[in-house]
Amino acid sequence: MKLATSVMTVLGLASASPHYGAGDISHWIPPSASDYRGPCPMMNTLANHNFLPHDGRNITRDKVIDGLGKALNFNATLASLMFDMAIVVNPEPNATWFTLDQLNQHNILEHDASLSRTDAFFGNSHIFNASIFAETTSYWTNDTLTPAMLANSKLARQITSRAFNPTYTFTASTEQFSLGEVAAPIVAFGSFDNGTVSRELVEYFFRHERFPTELGWRTRDEVVQLMDVMKISSMIGSETDLLTGEESSAGKAKRADMVRRGDLHAGFKW
Ligand code: HEM
Ligand SMILES: *[C@@H]1O[C@H](CO)[C@@H](O)[C@H](O)[C@H]1NC(C)=O
Ligand SMILES: *[C@@H]1O[C@H](CO)[C@@H](O)[C@H](O)[C@H]1NC(C)=O
Ligand SMILES: *[C@@H]1O[C@H](CO)[C@@H](O)[C@H](O)[C@H]1NC(C)=O
Ligand SMILES: *[C@@H]1O[C@H](CO)[C@@H](O)[C@H](O)[C@H]1NC(C)=O
Ligand SMILES: *[C@@H]1O[C@H](CO)[C@@H](O)[C@H](O)[C@H]1NC(C)=O
Ligand SMILES: *[C@@H]1O[C@H](CO)[C@@H](O)[C@H](O)[C@H]1NC(C)=O
């Protein structure tokens, strides 16, 4: 083994072996059969780019802070908070790590009516599902996605699930996580000012679990703060209201402005 390792190093092959710490938005290695992956397209993407352990195991607080920081410019406190939300998936008391496979447990964090996965009742709820994603993208009606389009796809997925999945479950807590997830494409790839994101970047990311670097995306320059995530989640939440009222456009525009100015926040639980 030692000899083989030295030979590989001499041949420069070691650089092709996936390892945590080599995170690079331009360097993507697909998961091997033994690598763990889960229902989160971003955690999978981070592992595929070595911003998290490529094998999907031993994901510690420090690695989440480091990976989300380097790849997405997430504030360390925000990333740490997200680790706290996630650690419940490891059943061991006082666990210090989780695996991407543990995220697959149904109704802990993984839930029904996802944008790109089918419900656990119907099949594998953690791998990308092309027909489910086709349903979602049918509501993405322009090249630039708005909070309303993302909210429409979320609502549609919930209605489909409630209609056809007899075990459909979606609690108030699920709703808060769901709003964060539906906002996530804007957080990762879009604009905080206008709450929009390129459909092309988002579709590429979901389909390939790869950063859309070849489409021109780069890690944003500003640090992503908890308030940014709350603001975008709140924009999505506002758009899940199907009423218009008399003053349709005026009312909606006013509410959207309040959210943009930071005067209004929907509950948010990351
Ligand atoms: C500690 C960090 C994170 C953990 C543990 C985590 C975990 C999860 C889990 C368990 C799901 C599945 C929910 C479902 O059943 O649909 C999910 C979905 C999702 N996550 Fe993450 N996530 C993390 C960070 C992020 C970040 C930073 C982003 C992007 C900015 C992101 C983007 C998404 C998206 C877009 C979905 C929705 C997938 C879908 O509906 O098909 N996640 N995440
Ligand atoms: C998990 O990662 C930590 C921090 O990098 C390391 O100290 C520890 O040895 C790892 N554990 C396993 C089982 O790989
Ligand atoms: C990260 O967020 C914390 C808490 O909100 C804040 O105190 C800190 O200044 C932020 N750090 C950076 C680098 O933005
Ligand atoms: C977990 O942490 C708590 C609080 O620090 C401690 O009382 C408890 O003994 C720990 N449990 C285990 C199994 O280490
Ligand atoms: C994708 O989702 C559909 C609808 O729930 C399901 O019938 C199909 O089996 C799923 N495909 C895979 C590969 O799991
Ligand atoms: C569609 O998006 C483009 C920007 O990509 C924008 O200029 C246009 O106004 C949008 N059209 C509609 C109907 O929202
Ligand atoms: C949203 O803002 C981004 C950058 O801040 C800009 O490139 C894009 O054209 C804007 N889109 C719309 C629809 O205003």
Side-chain angles (χ1 to χ4, degrees):
M1 275 322 274
K2 225 173 177 176
L3 179 65
T5 307
S6 322
V7 169
M8 280 176 66
T9 307
V10 168
L11 294 177
L13 293 175
S15 62
S17 78
H19 68 281
Y20 168 72
D24 183 342
I25 59 165
S26 304
H27 190 55
W28 179 88
I29 303 172
S32 72
S34 62
D35 289 340
Y36 285 159
R37 290 295 181 267
C40 177
M42 183 56 81
M43 296 301 271
N44 293 348
T45 298
L46 292 169
N48 292 342
H49 282 271
N50 290 323
F51 286 108
L52 287 176
H54 202 275
D55 67 4
R57 292 162 171 83
N58 195 17
I59 299 176
T60 58
R61 182 186 304 277
D62 286 353
K63 289 176 198 172
V64 167
I65 292 172
D66 183 65
L68 294 191
K70 285 188 175 134
L72 297 169
N73 209 357
F74 265 47
N75 174 301
T77 309
L78 170 59
S80 186
L81 184 65
M82 293 179 71
F83 178 84
D84 288 331
M85 297 293 167
I87 195 63
V88 298
V89 299
N90 186 333
E92 285 178 31
N94 304 338
T96 57
W97 50 268
F98 63 90
T99 71
L100 295 187
D101 184 59
Q102 287 172 337
L103 296 177
N104 292 327
Q105 300 167 86
H106 184 49
N107 283 340
I108 297 187
L109 296 178
E110 192 284 316
H111 58 75
D112 288 336
S114 306
L115 298 178
S116 66
R117 272 73 174 153
T118 197
D119 292 358
F121 176 78
F122 296 117
N124 185 322
S125 61
H126 45 91
I127 55 162
F128 177 81
N129 184 305
S131 53
I132 296 297
F133 195 56
E135 179 185 356
T136 291
T137 55
S138 73
Y139 294 91
W140 295 355
T141 51
N142 196 5
D143 293 344
T144 299
L145 302 184
T146 61
M149 289 178 208
L150 288 160
N152 286 344
S153 57
K154 167 185 154 58
L155 291 168
R157 289 286 305 124
Q158 288 180 256
I159 290 170
T160 300
S161 291
R162 194 174 65 169
F164 302 109
N165 174 358
T167 66
Y168 170 67
T169 303
F170 209 94
T171 66
S173 161
T174 312
E175 173 70 357
Q176 297 312 317
F177 280 99
S178 169
L179 288 173
E181 291 154 13
V182 174
I186 298 173
V187 171
F189 310 118
S191 159
F192 288 158
D193 296 332
N194 49 32
T196 57
V197 61
S198 153
R199 180 176 63 186
E200 190 188 22
L201 298 185
V202 178
E203 288 197 14
Y204 179 101
F205 156 72
F206 268 104
R207 290 183 201 284
H208 304 292
E209 299 196 336
R210 179 175 187 155
F211 283 121
T213 316
E214 65 177 350
L215 300 176
W217 175 83
R218 296 289 177 269
T219 305
R220 68 171 72 249
D221 293 328
E222 325 95 89
V223 177
V224 177
Q225 308 291 354
L226 175 61
M227 288 305 269
D228 297 319
V229 175
M230 288 176 68
K231 186 178 93 161
I232 304 295
S233 290
S234 183
M235 285 183 183
I236 307 289
S238 301
E239 296 293 351
T240 61
D241 179 354
L242 296 176
L243 302 182
T244 63
E246 314 287 341
E247 22 74 89
S248 149
S249 43
K252 285 235 163 175
K254 190 177 170 201
R255 198 162 29 161
D257 272 353
M258 286 174 72
V259 170
R260 263 174 218 130
R261 286 201 311 271
D263 297 342
L264 186 68
H265 305 288
F268 178 71
K269 272 200 192 163
W270 260 2

